Amino acid sequence: LHEEQTPFQKIQLVDSERYGSMLLLDGVVQTTEKDEFVYHEMLTHVPMFAHENPRRVLIIGGGDGGILREVLRHPTVEQVTMVEIDEAVINFSRKHLPKINDGAFDDPRADIRIDDGAKYIKETKGWFDVAIVDSCDPIGPATVLFQKEFYGMVSDRLTDKGILVRQTGSTILQPEIQRDACKQLQPVFPWNAIYVFAVPTYIGG
């Protein structure tokens, strides 16, 4: 239905019979109207409910606005800083996927930054209770978000009881990604664990 090339990636909107509108980046499905709630709710609410009082939240990526929508459901939240490198994804999602972001971009608690996530976290002086890394696959502009140095910088910006969550992939079909994630995070964070949820349109469900 729509296609454009940004300075960072190719964006496509596809209409599907079973999943409704689908967002693709560089040919890879990122989210769909039918099953987006599984990913966005599980990536958001597990860390948000695990924290006793999440007031300031950081989202790296998340240009479709689904994570932002779910974070804003928590009444303790005072500010959400969302850092998206590609403004075109936000504009695309506002226009073509309004059901997914549900007006979240216009919430007064939302601080939307168009910037490189790693650059932002290196330069910011802000503190966060929860950090959610909602990135695409570790290729192209997202590569830096899968490196140990990046997570060290995120850890430095978290409060004492701060929580980080990131997506990693299929534990069955991409076990090497899980191993790499553990190797990156274990030296940085004192406690780590993997939790699993099934998103039908992602590899291995």
Side-chain angles (χ1 to χ4, degrees), residues 69-168:
R69 177 197 75 208
E70 294 302 318
V71 168
L72 290 169
R73 294 186 191 277
H74 289 258
T76 60
V77 171
E78 298 171 2
Q79 184 179 41
V80 188
T81 301
M82 191 185 103
V83 186
E84 168 61 55
I85 195 171
D86 195 345
E87 186 175 16
V89 177
I90 294 177
N91 295 335
F92 173 95
S93 299
R94 280 181 175 271
K95 182 177 180 179
H96 297 290
L97 300 170
K99 292 180 181 178
I100 292 180
N101 49 78
D102 194 27
F105 294 119
D106 299 316
D107 191 292
R109 294 170 292 169
D111 176 22
I112 310 300
R113 306 290 185 99
I114 307 304
D115 202 349
D116 178 279
K119 176 176 175 288
Y120 173 83
I121 203 68
K122 183 177 182 179
E123 297 175 352
T124 186
K125 302 300 180 183
W127 293 90
F128 304 97
D129 299 304
V130 175
I132 301 173
V133 180
D134 177 20
S135 67
C136 51
D137 295 333
I139 55 175
T143 303
V144 68
L145 304 182
F146 290 80
Q147 297 175 1
K148 177 184 173 183
E149 291 74 17
F150 169 72
Y151 290 102
M153 292 189 293
V154 173
S155 175
D156 290 341
R157 305 319 308 164
L158 289 176
T159 52
D160 289 343
K161 297 183 179 180
I163 297 174
L164 162 82
V165 64
R166 58 168 280 193
Q167 65 85 14
T168 52

Side-chain angles (χ1 to χ4, degrees), residues 5-21:
Q5 180 68 47
T6 81
F8 300 98
Q9 56 206 338
K10 182 179 181 180
I11 304 177
Q12 292 173 299
L13 177 70
V14 175
D15 185 30
S16 67
E17 183 176 342
R18 292 189 180 274
Y19 293 101
S21 294

